[in-house]
């Protein structure tokens, strides 16, 4: 009898603890702490659901594969379309049915099978030297990067970086493999130096006179403007949106997906819906100078000052289809060598 009573007491004590433990959600994130932690705090304040986060720069897909059905991950946050597609291709995520997310995220920026969703947008811009070039004409397009007039005047990071792979993939989607390869050959011939460094390093190279044009994501300009050591780099360039009289400016995304074996699916869905809502979208815009994926959410004052642009309307699903082909072409033209 004493053993039965003791067992009953233990069960009674365990039940509330289990209930409390269930009110949590586990996130694997490529996104940096400074950006997402304020959102998680706001989410917890609103819902009472605790957010546990594991941050990483690489290897989350491999980690999910190793953990298999025992993975604690509920939601995965990534920094690029290629990483979202990788999770889907490796069957590490599951489809999500949410009218809230569908209303907040335009169809162009979510998976056709609802396995991943964009959270923010970033454009792939061409920065031009204020002193030597000025603003580029409104009809400037990515194809112009291969024109002989820019020989020895362009700087870029590695062609194999996900941001550039996505750009090349979008070119294949529009122009086909053969024409894109010809474009890459001309583009490579115009480089002022071997691809190296990050996006900000290319803008620095423009300031230093090593090149006249640099390729980089939009939000890096915001980061440089607000960095005392890099502000002069930003002030040395204009930000240009290619393709405004053609297909539009290439747009990449950061995004999210629900892990295949998510143990807290209900809470995971609540977090995912929160991240696409007005409050979180506004926080993304202000903190990291990205474009909110939800239409109608106000851009940061700095980002708004760059002006409006026409985004490339090709589906990111379509762009992702050419990921491996883009890598093959970059290898064939020896872009990084």
């Amino acid at each position: 009898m004493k053993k039965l009573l003791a067992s009953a007491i233990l069960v009674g004590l365990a039940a509330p603890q289990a209930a409390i433990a269930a009110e949590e959600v586990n996130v694997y994130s490529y996104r940096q702490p400074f950006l997402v932690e304020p959102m998680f705090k706001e989410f917890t304040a609103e819902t009472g659901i605790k957010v546990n986060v594991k941050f990483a720069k690489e290897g989350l897909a491999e980690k999910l594969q190793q953990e298999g059905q025992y993975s604690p991950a509920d939601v995965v946050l990534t920094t690029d379309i290629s990483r979202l597609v990788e999770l889907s291709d490796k069957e590490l995520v599951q489809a999500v049915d949410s009218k809230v997310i569908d209303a907040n995220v335009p169809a162009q920026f979510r998976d056709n099978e609802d396995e991943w969703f964009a959270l923010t947008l970033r454009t792939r811009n061409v920065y031009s030297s204020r002193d030597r070039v000025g603003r580029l004409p409104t009809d400037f397009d990515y194809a112009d990067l291969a024109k002989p007039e820019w020989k020895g005047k362009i700087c870029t990071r590695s062609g194999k970086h996900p941001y550039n792979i996505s750009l090349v993939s979008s070119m294949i989607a529009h122009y086909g493999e053969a024409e894109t390869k010809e474009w890459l050959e001309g583009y490579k011939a115009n480089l002022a130096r071997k691809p190296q460094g990050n996006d900000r390093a290319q803008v620095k190279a423009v300031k230093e006179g090593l090149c006249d044009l640099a390729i980089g994501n939009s939000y890096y300009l915001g980061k440089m403007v607000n960095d005392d050591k890099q502000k002069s780099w930003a002030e040395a360039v204009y930000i240009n949106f290619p393709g405004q009289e053609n297909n539009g400016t290439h747009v990449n995304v950061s995004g999210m997906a629900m892990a295949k074996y998510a143990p807290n699916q209900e809470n995971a869905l609540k977090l995912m819906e929160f991240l696409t809502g007005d409050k979180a979208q506004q926080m993304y815009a202000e903190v990291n100078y990205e474009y909110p994926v939800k239409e109608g959410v106000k851009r940061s004052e700095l980002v708004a000052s760059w002006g409006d642009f026409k985004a490339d309307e090709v589906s990111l699903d379509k762009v992702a289809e050419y990921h491996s082909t883009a890598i093959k072409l970059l290898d064939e033209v020896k872009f990084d060598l």
Side-chain angles (χ1 to χ4, degrees), residues 32-182:
Q32 296 179 53
F34 82 91
L35 177 59
V36 296
E37 284 181 342
M39 299 178 200
F40 294 157
K41 289 179 181 177
E42 186 66 32
F43 173 74
T44 299
E46 288 189 12
T47 65
I49 300 170
K50 180 183 178 184
V51 183
N52 307 308
V53 196
K54 289 186 177 180
F55 294 100
K57 291 184 177 180
E58 299 289 344
L60 287 183
E62 290 76 12
K63 183 173 179 62
L64 288 167
Q65 283 181 314
Q66 292 169 359
E67 293 173 341
Q69 63 182 312
Y70 302 107
S71 176
D74 294 307
V75 177
V76 185
L77 301 181
T78 81
T79 54
D80 181 80
I81 179 60
S82 62
R83 283 173 163 160
L84 288 167
V85 172
E86 177 187 23
L87 294 171
S88 182
D89 288 347
K90 292 182 177 180
E91 300 182 353
L92 298 171
V93 294
Q94 59 179 290
V96 172
D97 182 11
S98 168
K99 292 181 179 179
V100 173
I101 296 177
D102 288 349
N104 290 342
V105 182
Q108 176 187 356
F109 301 121
R110 62 177 190 261
D111 178 46
N112 288 335
E113 297 181 359
D114 293 325
E115 289 192 342
W116 55 259
F117 306 87
L119 285 174
T120 63
L121 311 178
R122 62 277 294 269
T123 51
R124 197 75 180 141
N125 297 88
V126 176
Y127 294 97
S128 57
S129 168
R130 285 177 179 261
D131 295 336
R132 298 182 299 280
V133 178
R135 291 191 186 277
L136 295 174
T138 56
D139 62 352
F140 186 90
D141 202 358
Y142 296 106
D144 294 330
L145 295 172
K147 288 186 175 180
E149 65 195 76
W150 297 111
K151 188 172 182 63
K153 296 181 178 181
I154 302 175
C155 286
T156 182
R157 73 194 306 165
S158 169
K160 292 290 192 66
H161 189 277
Y163 299 158
N164 282 333
I165 293 173
S166 293
L167 174 59
V168 176
S169 298
S170 73
M171 294 293 284
I172 298 171
H174 285 299
Y175 302 109
E177 186 174 338
E179 193 169 335
T180 301
K181 182 177 180 180
E182 184 179 350

Side-chain angles (χ1 to χ4, degrees), residues 190-246:
N190 287 343
L191 296 182
R193 62 181 184 181
K194 288 175 60 174
Q196 59 191 269
N198 56 25
D199 279 4
R200 285 189 249 196
Q202 314 315 314
V203 175
K204 180 185 179 185
V206 172
K207 181 188 182 301
E208 294 174 344
L210 296 176
C211 43
D212 289 346
L213 302 182
I215 316 302
N217 279 357
S218 53
Y219 60 90
Y220 285 114
L221 185 61
K223 291 177 178 292
M224 289 184 286
V225 166
N226 287 280
D227 185 321
D228 290 340
K229 294 181 179 179
Q230 300 177 1
K231 188 175 182 179
S232 63
W233 308 353
E235 292 173 341
V237 300
Y238 285 116
I239 184 171
N240 302 276
F241 295 87
Q244 293 307 285
E245 296 184 15
N246 192 10

